[in-house]
Amino acid sequence: MFPNDVETAARALLDRARGRGWMIATAESCTGGLVAGALTEIAGSSDVVDRGFVTYSNAAKIELLGVDAALTERHGAVSQEVARAMAESAVRRSNAALSVAITGIAGPGGGSVEKPVGLVWFATAVRDGETQSVRCAFGDIGRSAVRTAAVRQALELLSSRLT
């Protein structure tokens, strides 16, 4: 279902999280649950993957994750501030020690000069730890390619928090 490199990265991430006794949660917008899907594609992942929040709409971000509506009004859904709030809320509203949040513009439309198609914000949060965020500009490479690149980046960011 997923490219071999994504499956390999997911498997390695699960092994590392399992070794630390950590569970993972995802909070996904533009990827629509693909990161959780990549992780749960691996048999036995239920001891590591706690839950995934698919919060595609602003209302879902507010209702399911408790993201402050003022953040989306002030900064837009595709922003560092919203990604950080999503990641932090995913940890708070789960049994996970680690989360990743993804919010972006996969295209083909919906971009602007300030926020072009292919812009994706990521954040990772660790329970009782710091939240980190990353901005990626994948470019207007096609909806599927942006989403796949975002899954790869999310798995890499989660893995980097387990070192």
Side-chain angles (χ1 to χ4, degrees), residues 69-163:
L71 282 178
T72 58
E73 291 167 13
R74 193 175 318 118
H75 303 285
V78 180
S79 63
Q80 178 180 27
E81 294 81 4
V82 169
R84 291 174 68 88
M86 290 170 64
E88 291 166 358
S89 294
V91 167
R92 273 196 310 276
R93 294 178 180 229
S94 73
N95 296 315
L98 174 63
S99 72
V100 66
I102 305 109
T103 182
I105 305 164
S112 67
V113 172
E114 299 83 25
K115 295 182 181 181
V117 170
L119 173 65
V120 181
W121 274 100
F122 300 84
T124 55
V126 174
R127 187 174 302 281
D128 301 323
E130 68 178 67
T131 301
Q132 297 176 352
S133 53
V134 173
R135 178 187 187 275
C136 290
F138 296 115
D140 192 356
I141 58 175
R143 183 175 186 80
S144 240
V146 168
R147 288 165 43 108
T148 301
V151 169
R152 286 183 175 108
Q153 182 67 42
L155 294 173
E156 182 179 315
L157 290 170
L158 284 167
S159 185
S160 74
R161 298 303 303 265
L162 288 163
T163 57

Side-chain angles (χ1 to χ4, degrees), residues 8-22 24 39 42-44 47-48 162:
T8 299
R11 189 177 307 279
L13 171 62
L14 291 170
D15 288 344
R16 292 178 76 188
R18 191 175 289 115
R20 291 195 69 173
W22 281 17
I24 295 171
L39 292 170
I42 309 301
D47 65 338
V48 174
L162 288 163

Side-chain angles (χ1 to χ4, degrees), residues 23-84:
M23 294 194 84
I24 295 171
T26 65
E28 301 181 63
S29 186
C30 68
T31 49
L34 290 173
V35 176
L39 292 170
T40 59
E41 182 73 13
I42 309 301
S45 60
S46 61
D47 65 338
V48 174
V49 180
D50 179 54
R51 66 192 72 187
F53 299 92
V54 177
T55 55
Y56 205 71
S57 69
N58 288 346
K61 289 173 184 64
I62 294 163
E63 293 166 18
L64 294 176
L65 291 172
V67 172
D68 186 346
L71 282 178
T72 58
E73 291 167 13
R74 193 175 318 118
H75 303 285
V78 180
S79 63
Q80 178 180 27
E81 294 81 4
V82 169
R84 291 174 68 88

